[in-house]
Amino acid sequence: MSGEAEAMVVAGILALLYRIAPTAVSQGPAGTATRNYLAEDREGGRWFVKAYPPGTDVAEERQALALGETARRAGVSVPAVRRTVSGDVIASAGGLSVSVAQYVADTQTAEGGLSDGRWAAVGEAVGRLHRVLAGHPAGPPRPVEARAVCDVARAGRRLEEFLAGWEAAPPSPGGFAAWCAQTAEQRRAALPEVAARLEKLPATLMTQVVHGDLASPNLLLRGEAVAAVIDFRPPSHRSAAWELGRIVLDPRTVLARPDEWIPGLARAVVAYRAANPRLPAEDLLAVPRVAAGYLACSVYPLSEPLNDPAAVTPALEAYGRARHEATGVLWERLDEAEAVLDDVLR
C-alpha cells in the first residue's frame, strides 16, 4: 500500500471507528516498527496515529498501550490514548491496524542530548515512572544476577554469528558495512576485558516492569521539562539501572557534552532517587557501568547492513558510530563517574 493510499485508509478509520472527522492526515516522524501520521480534526484537535505493519502482534501492542495508561493514571506525563467507539485502543479496518493518541505539541525529542535542568527533570520522570510500575500486576521488583543484565556470553555468540555472515558475504571496503564488520571484530576481542569490568557490578541488580524502550526518541521535552513519555513496550522485567542509564547516558549526550555528562548524571541520579527511593543505592551507583557494559555487548546497529540493509540510513550510520565512540568514553571515565555518584549517594 502506498503512503498516500494508507493515509486515506487512516482517514477513513478515524472517521468511522474513532468519530474523528479529519481535515488533514500527513505523514509524521518515522517509527522503528510503525508508520506514523499526524491528523487534524474540524475542531482543531491534533492526533498522533500509529499504523502497525502486517504481522504485528496486536495483542502485545494493546498491552503496551495499557502500560502507558497505567503510568498516566499515576501522574506520569503520557499522552492520552483515544479509544474507538467500541472502547478498544486499537482499530483494524482495510487491512490496517492503528492506535490514536493526543498529539503533544511544541516539543523535541531527547535526541539532541540533555543539558542544564533537563538532567534532573529526566531523572525525576524516570524515577516516578519506575516507582509507579513497581506495583504493576505483572509482578513486583526482584533481583537477578548482574550477568543477566549485561550478558557477555550471549554477546559473544551474537558477534560470532554476525561475523560468520560477513565471512560468507564480505562487505565492500570503505563503507559502513565494512566498518560494522571491523567494529564487531574489535568488540569480540574486547569481551574478556568487558567481562572483567562487569565483575565489579554488585552480585545482583533489581529488575521490575519498566518502559522497555526508553530511548531518546521516546522522550519528549519542552524547554527543560519532560512533556511526554511515549511508545511503551509490553510489560516485562528489566533492570531499572539499565533503563535509567540508557536515557541519561545516550551516546549523543556523552559525546556532545564531554565536560557535563558526569555532573549531569549525578543530578539525574539524585532526582531519580528522590522520586523512587526504593531502588537500592548500589543499583544507582552501577548505572554508568551497566550503560557501558550494555553498549559493549550490543550488536546494534552493527548487524543492520547484514540483516536489514534497507534500514541503513545516514542517521543510523551516525548513531552507530556514536554508540561505539561513546562506549570508549564511558569506560575511560568510569572510575570518575562512579566516584561522583558515590559522593551524592552517601
Side-chain angles (χ1 to χ4, degrees), residues 22-316:
T23 57
V25 175
S26 59
Q27 196 149 9
T32 303
T34 59
R35 293 177 299 279
N36 301 326
Y37 294 89
L38 302 179
E40 187 168 342
D41 63 31
R42 292 175 181 171
E43 289 74 40
R46 301 176 74 186
W47 306 93
F48 184 79
V49 184
K50 293 176 68 172
Y52 304 99
T56 297
D57 189 329
V58 175
E60 282 198 350
E61 295 301 329
R62 286 191 174 93
Q63 293 175 26
L65 291 167
L67 185 63
E69 289 189 308
T70 296
R72 176 181 169 81
R73 286 193 295 270
V76 179
S77 298
V78 179
V81 174
R82 172 82 172 211
R83 292 182 175 269
T84 67
V85 291
S86 62
D88 202 347
V89 293
I90 293 181
S92 299
L96 197 64
S97 295
V98 307
S99 63
V100 180
Q102 287 179 332
Y103 176 72
V104 185
D106 303 320
T107 64
Q108 58 182 178
T109 71
E111 292 169 286
L114 303 184
S115 61
D116 303 322
R118 289 181 173 183
W119 293 99
V122 171
E124 192 276 337
V126 180
R128 185 189 307 174
L129 176 66
H130 286 174
R131 187 188 70 230
V132 168
L133 296 185
H136 193 274
R142 56 177 180 260
V144 300
E145 291 185 1
R147 72 184 66 181
V149 176
C150 297
D151 193 334
V152 177
R154 180 172 180 266
R157 293 191 297 272
R158 294 183 69 191
L159 286 167
E160 291 288 353
E161 294 171 0
F162 170 48
L163 289 168
W166 281 129
E167 288 178 7
S172 301
F176 181 58
W179 179 85
C180 288
Q182 181 182 17
T183 301
E185 287 275 13
Q186 295 172 2
R187 292 270 182 89
R188 180 175 63 177
L191 284 180
E193 184 178 357
V194 171
R197 287 167 167 166
L198 293 177
E199 286 295 325
K200 295 184 179 181
L201 286 172
T204 62
L205 292 168
M206 294 303 298
T207 65
Q208 63 164 82
V209 173
V210 295
H211 177 285
D213 191 20
L214 194 54
S216 292
N218 294 334
L219 189 70
L220 304 184
L221 303 168
R222 185 181 292 120
E224 293 190 345
V226 173
V229 181
I230 62 173
D231 283 354
F232 285 71
R233 299 312 306 141
S236 65
H237 274 63
R238 299 288 299 267
S239 161
W242 162 78
E243 182 154 275
L244 176 61
R246 188 181 183 200
I247 188 64
V248 299
L249 293 178
D250 181 285
R252 291 158 293 202
T253 293
V254 171
L255 297 179
R257 295 173 174 83
D259 297 325
E260 294 182 32
W261 70 264
I262 292 178
L265 169 65
R267 293 197 294 274
V269 166
V270 168
Y272 178 100
R273 193 181 196 190
N276 184 32
R278 293 184 179 180
L279 188 69
E282 64 179 6
D283 281 61
L284 291 172
L285 181 61
V287 165
R289 193 171 294 265
V290 168
Y294 170 71
L295 288 174
C297 291
S298 174
V299 300
Y300 179 82
L302 304 181
S303 57
E304 295 303 281
L306 183 67
N307 296 335
D308 190 9
V312 177
T313 62
L316 182 73

